[in-house]
Amino acid sequence: MRYENIPELMKLEQYIREADFPQARDLFPISDSPSMLTTINACKAQILWLEYLIDINKYEEAHNLIEILSNFPLIVDSPMVSLDLLLEKLHWMVSVEINAQDMSDMSEMSEMSDVSEIVGISSVISQKLEKTNKLTDYQINFRSGLFFLRKSLFYIQMGEIQKAQTLALKSVSIFEKISSNCYLSNCYENLTTIEINRGDLVKVLFYAKKAVKFAKKTKCVRGMALGCSILANIYHELGQNEKALDNAKNAMIHLQKFENDLYKSEILGIMSALNWETGNVAKAIEHAEQAIIYGFASNSIYGICTALFYTITYYLEVNEPEKATKKFMVLEELHQTHQGDLIGSFLTLSQALIYKKQPDFGSKTKAKNIFKDLITREEIPLELISLALLNLCEILLMEIRISKNHNEKHIKELNEYLDLLFNQIRPQLSIPCKARLYILQSKFELVQLQFKKARHALVQAKKIAEKYKLNYLTPKISVEYDNLLEQEMIEDLSQVEKLKFSERVQIIGLDDQISRLAQKQRFSPVIIEEEVPIVLSIVLTSGVTFFFHSFSPDWTFDSQLFGGFLTAFNTFSREIFEEKLDRAVFGKFKVLMEPLEEMVVCYVIKGQSHLAQQKLSDFVNRIIQNTSLWEQLKKTAEMNEVIVLTSKKIPLLTDLVHEIFKFKSLNHRVE
């Protein structure tokens, strides 16, 4: 609590926190003139209302209240309340600075919140905190924590992320010390934003959960709404759509009490995207239409533009061009009244998409020229450049498919635009976008029969998916890897090379993948099947085998098949460690590999490798975690002994194989 030991103010703060505004106003209404401020407690109440107005983006009302309070004698004479007013003025300045470019009605206020003004007021607050001797330890700590919290947000806006993190962590330490859970929620919101800037989705999720946890403890409706909104966004990025939708719905429930049109517009945008990706087109359009309404209500240019843009794209994809054109006209009107590069970018891209959807070749040429122009503009958001490039590539693939004389020219153009997308745009995009574009790149390299480059792109996608727990992408990556291996198994590549470029594009599915990315759709779902197990072995990097188990009678330890496998292993063993190769082809089989210090665990299979790779990774991790088993394996390797599972020489190993690979005496023959 800001004003501890004053029951009526503590009650007011709780009412505001719980969004019980009728009760709050009955206790202390928001002042519209100095005549209402007859006591110091009435002044303190206005500080609490001021913080609330800033939190719901009512910046003009907040500014009017600051003006009323700034020269009021009761406040000027109170060290604590005058300090609180300065802290909220800093809060207002930072918030205006953050939103000035986006809000359409803030041009005058933004002049009062420039960087020099913020630095100046921060210096005054810092001096007051150092010289204050009339406040209790709690009062000083609370205001110091609040100061660090507000400055942290300022440094986030300035792009000085390390300074922002240092201050956010300082504020966490202070608010933990004085058990101020509501403001701890605010601190974790800042840390969430910091990690969003860094692109670390795992940490974003961790901090967002913390923010919601502390908001729930104090029944802080704003904190719960914002925290659930962030969680919805992150779960959406991670592909966990059910969790994303649940959090978005929870955020909207909280916002029925806590009026913030900007938050509502953002959450409805997330709900729209989620429904679009899962095929619920009607709901997607409904939420997008609602997002437009709340975008206008909040005066958020970005909110209005994004909602209008995606509504236009949805109507185009469901073949309702008239409705798309109506929304385009709204965007056009917005551009005429507000101008600005952001609105212009959305407007131009929308125009190109409308041309692209028209059946005549002349319109598609217009679209192509607009896309070409868009990707050269520096002021355009990267996400829009990415969409322009994908749509441009889609048109080029259509031209390649129907063209008889200009294929080489079109293929060269396609190469140039995809090169721009992969090498210049991708590094600056979000983590999930990077992973999806690596998958796209692997398909493009495969179309050109560049197997090694295709494999490298998939390895990069796999690393990102595993590091950031993009679980919805890992099956797709694994299936793509299997497809790549099957292409490598083709003995007579000359037959493949004879195929037209457009035929290879269609067979490999490059056109479908570009189209899905351009339309902001998830990749087509993959069907995951169990593998056919052949052999499990542990091989030293020298090529010596010391553990062997066959699931097939055709593969014995001294069989020609296994001897051939060992010869093949020696050819790709270096890549396992140097290039992180985790699978390869051996005849009709796939070899999955996991390094284990100076050893490699190999699992030879037929069929899909996704579930098999998970089993293999689990097997290796469990060996490392079991100290006794790990030591026994190392000793056996040093003695150059060969372990066969049926000998049960190391019972712990036998049990582990049975448990993970669900060992049965399959006794099947390899065909």
Side-chain angles (χ1 to χ4, degrees):
M1 290 287 179
R2 188 190 287 254
Y3 300 116
E4 83 286 12
N5 301 324
I6 306 175
E8 57 186 352
L9 290 177
M10 291 173 71
K11 193 173 283 187
L12 174 65
E13 189 168 354
Q14 195 58 41
Y15 284 149
I16 292 174
R17 218 172 261 173
E18 294 176 6
D20 188 348
F21 299 117
Q23 293 265 40
R25 289 189 178 96
D26 284 346
L27 195 60
F28 282 103
I30 299 177
S31 171
D32 57 8
S33 73
S35 61
M36 296 178 66
L37 306 177
T38 56
T39 66
I40 192 64
N41 282 353
C43 296
K44 290 175 180 177
Q46 298 312 304
I47 299 293
L48 296 174
W49 278 117
L50 178 56
E51 182 177 27
Y52 162 71
L53 290 171
I54 298 166
D55 282 340
I56 62 168
N57 310 119
K58 300 289 186 184
Y59 299 121
E60 190 170 352
E61 288 179 48
H63 181 254
N64 291 339
L65 188 52
I66 289 170
E67 290 293 295
I68 290 170
L69 298 174
S70 289
N71 299 308
F72 198 67
L74 280 174
I75 293 176
V76 174
D77 294 340
S78 168
M80 182 169 68
V81 184
S82 60
L83 178 57
D84 282 345
L85 181 58
L86 282 172
L87 284 165
E88 288 315 311
K89 192 172 181 181
L90 173 64
H91 184 195
W92 179 85
M93 284 180 168
V94 172
S95 299
V96 169
E97 177 66 20
I98 289 169
N99 292 291
Q101 290 183 337
D102 185 39
M103 300 293 194
S104 62
D105 57 351
M106 291 178 63
S107 56
E108 290 183 16
M109 284 186 284
S110 64
E111 293 174 8
M112 296 179 277
S113 65
D114 64 24
V115 173
S116 61
E117 290 287 333
I118 293 171
V119 171
I121 198 170
S122 297
S123 177
V124 173
I125 293 170
S126 183
Q127 289 169 22
K128 279 185 173 288
L129 283 169
E130 287 174 7
K131 293 177 181 177
T132 299
N133 51 19
K134 294 182 180 180
L135 304 185
T136 65
D137 286 346
Y138 176 90
Q139 291 167 342
I140 293 170
N141 280 326
F142 180 89
R143 283 145 188 87
S144 296
L146 205 54
F147 179 50
F148 294 143
L149 178 66
R150 304 306 186 213
K151 278 199 75 176
S152 168
L153 198 57
F154 170 61
Y155 281 123
I156 292 172
Q157 168 65 8
M158 296 298 292
E160 297 188 46
I161 300 302
Q162 191 55 53
K163 284 183 180 178
Q165 183 183 40
T166 301
L167 288 168
L169 291 172
K170 273 187 178 182
S171 61
V172 166
S173 178
I174 291 170
F175 288 129
E176 279 179 343
K177 182 180 175 182
I178 61 176
S179 301
S180 182
N181 289 328
C182 184
Y183 287 95
L184 271 172
S185 177
N186 294 154
C187 297
Y188 285 116
E189 286 168 16
N190 279 14
L191 286 165
T192 300
T193 307
I194 287 164
E195 296 305 335
I196 288 171
N197 275 274
R198 287 177 170 157
D200 192 334
L201 298 185
V202 176
K203 285 186 178 177
V204 170
L205 196 58
F206 173 76
Y207 286 132
K209 285 179 178 178
K210 286 254 192 185
V212 173
K213 172 187 167 184
F214 285 109
K216 282 181 177 177
K217 278 189 176 183
T218 52
K219 299 179 182 177
C220 178
V221 175
R222 175 202 162 276
M224 289 188 284
L226 182 57
C228 287
S229 171
I230 294 168
L231 284 172
N233 212 342
I234 297 308
Y235 281 126
H236 178 214
E237 288 282 288
L238 293 170
Q240 298 180 37
N241 285 3
E242 283 186 21
K243 287 184 178 180
L245 202 52
D246 285 345
N247 276 282
K249 286 176 180 176
N250 286 336
M252 286 303 289
I253 290 168
H254 295 310
L255 285 171
Q256 299 312 312
K257 288 184 173 182
F258 186 86
E259 289 298 321
N260 189 309
D261 293 326
L262 180 59
Y263 289 178
K264 286 181 182 177
S265 179
E266 289 172 355
I267 294 162
L268 284 162
I270 295 168
M271 293 173 77
S272 175
L274 285 165
N275 280 288
W276 178 256
E277 288 166 13
T278 52
N280 193 339
V281 175
K283 271 286 181 190
I285 291 173
E286 179 190 333
H287 289 316
E289 292 276 15
Q290 291 172 334
I292 294 169
I293 294 167
Y294 285 112
F296 273 109
S298 68
N299 292 313
S300 167
I301 298 298
Y302 184 76
I304 299 165
C305 286
T306 51
L308 280 168
F309 174 73
Y310 286 113
T311 309
I312 290 166
T313 62
Y314 296 162
Y315 280 132
L316 288 172
E317 290 305 323
V318 297
N319 294 316
E320 295 195 49
E322 289 181 3
K323 289 182 179 179
T325 303
K326 283 182 181 178
K327 296 300 176 189
F328 176 77
M329 289 167 69
V330 176
L331 194 55
E332 207 167 26
E333 286 174 20
L334 189 71
H335 187 237
Q336 287 170 1
T337 54
H338 292 92
Q339 296 300 314
D341 293 334
L342 182 68
I343 308 175
S345 302
F346 279 109
L347 184 70
T348 309
L349 187 54
S350 298
Q351 178 70 80
L353 291 173
I354 290 170
Y355 279 136
K356 180 188 163 210
K357 272 293 177 181
Q358 292 175 14
D360 61 292
F361 192 73
S363 294
K364 293 188 189 300
T365 302
K366 286 180 183 177
K368 182 179 172 183
N369 291 333
I370 294 172
F371 290 135
K372 283 183 178 181
D373 175 59
L374 274 170
I375 63 175
T376 63
R377 297 187 191 176
E378 293 182 0
E379 72 278 3
I380 294 186
L382 283 169
E383 185 188 359
L384 298 190
I385 292 178
S386 173
L387 283 174
L389 280 165
L390 287 164
N391 278 281
L392 186 53
C393 290
E394 202 175 3
I395 292 174
L396 282 167
L397 284 174
M398 179 205 69
E399 290 177 340
I400 290 167
R401 189 171 62 250
I402 63 175
S403 172
K404 292 181 180 178
N405 303 317
H406 304 291
N407 259 0
E408 289 305 317
K409 176 191 168 187
H410 291 140
I411 292 169
K412 185 181 177 183
E413 271 192 274
L414 183 69
N415 266 289
E416 288 172 1
Y417 294 131
L418 285 175
D419 183 68
L420 175 62
L421 182 63
F422 297 145
N423 296 318
Q424 293 185 41
I425 306 301
R426 179 174 58 199
Q428 303 174 72
L429 295 175
S430 69
I431 297 297
C433 285
K434 286 179 185 175
R436 289 193 286 268
L437 287 176
Y438 272 118
I439 298 172
L440 177 65
Q441 185 177 1
S442 75
K443 277 191 175 292
F444 180 60
E445 300 295 358
L446 189 52
V447 165
Q448 300 183 100
L449 306 179
Q450 297 291 325
F451 296 118
K452 192 167 184 178
K453 287 182 179 179
R455 190 189 308 128
H456 176 76
L458 281 176
V459 168
Q460 296 307 308
K462 183 171 181 279
K463 281 181 187 175
I464 292 170
E466 288 176 349
K467 181 177 179 180
Y468 295 102
K469 304 188 187 309
L470 304 178
N471 297 330
Y472 72 102
L473 279 180
T474 49
K476 173 72 176 173
I477 293 166
S478 189
V479 168
E480 291 295 342
Y481 217 142
D482 287 343
N483 292 339
L484 171 59
L485 292 176
E486 284 164 15
Q487 292 295 320
E488 287 186 290
M489 286 182 194
I490 297 172
E491 292 179 6
D492 187 5
L493 278 178
S494 62
Q495 296 303 312
V496 180
E497 289 168 350
K498 285 178 184 177
L499 292 171
K500 289 181 181 178
F501 184 87
S502 58
E503 290 172 330
R504 295 205 298 271
V505 163
Q506 195 167 6
I507 291 167
I508 290 163
L510 177 67
D511 51 351
D512 175 68
Q513 198 144 321
I514 285 177
S515 178
R516 283 180 173 275
L517 287 169
Q519 294 166 26
K520 302 286 283 184
Q521 294 178 336
R522 293 285 184 201
F523 291 140
S524 51
V526 294
I527 298 169
I528 298 299
E529 298 171 350
E530 285 257 330
E531 76 281 8
V532 177
I534 307 297
V535 165
L536 180 68
S537 67
I538 304 178
V539 185
L540 296 175
T541 50
S542 61
V544 175
T545 301
F546 74 91
F547 168 72
F548 173 88
H549 175 68
S550 174
F551 297 90
S552 164
D554 296 327
W555 281 63
T556 59
F557 183 67
D558 56 356
S559 72
Q560 189 175 354
L561 277 169
F562 189 64
F565 159 70
L566 287 178
T567 303
F569 173 83
N570 286 327
T571 65
F572 50 63
S573 60
R574 180 184 59 81
E575 293 180 272
I576 297 169
F577 292 94
E578 291 184 10
E579 298 185 25
K580 306 296 182 188
L581 183 70
D582 66 355
R583 67 196 83 186
V585 178
F586 170 59
K588 298 177 181 178
F589 310 105
K590 297 186 184 88
V591 185
L592 310 183
M593 297 160 284
E594 283 269 352
L596 185 61
E597 289 193 4
E598 296 300 313
M599 315 169 194
V600 180
V601 184
C602 300
Y603 186 26
V604 183
I605 64 163
K606 289 187 78 176
Q608 287 189 359
S609 59
H610 178 62
L611 297 177
Q613 192 77 52
Q614 290 180 335
K615 292 174 191 173
L616 184 60
S617 295
D618 188 24
F619 181 63
V620 170
N621 289 333
R622 296 274 290 278
I623 288 173
I624 294 168
Q625 290 164 10
N626 191 321
T627 308
S628 176
L629 172 56
W630 185 213
E631 290 303 320
Q632 287 182 67
L633 282 175
K634 285 194 281 189
K635 282 180 184 177
T636 306
E638 288 169 5
M639 295 168 66
N640 290 323
E641 292 185 43
V642 178
I643 310 166
V644 179
L645 194 69
T646 51
S647 70
K648 299 183 180 179
K649 185 170 182 179
I650 304 180
L652 287 172
L653 183 62
T654 303
D655 292 344
L656 189 60
V657 173
H658 281 234
E659 180 188 344
I660 291 177
F661 297 92
K662 295 187 170 46
F663 167 69
K664 295 177 183 178
S665 183
L666 297 175
N667 207 35
H668 63 265
R669 297 229 167 238
V670 177
E671 296 179 0

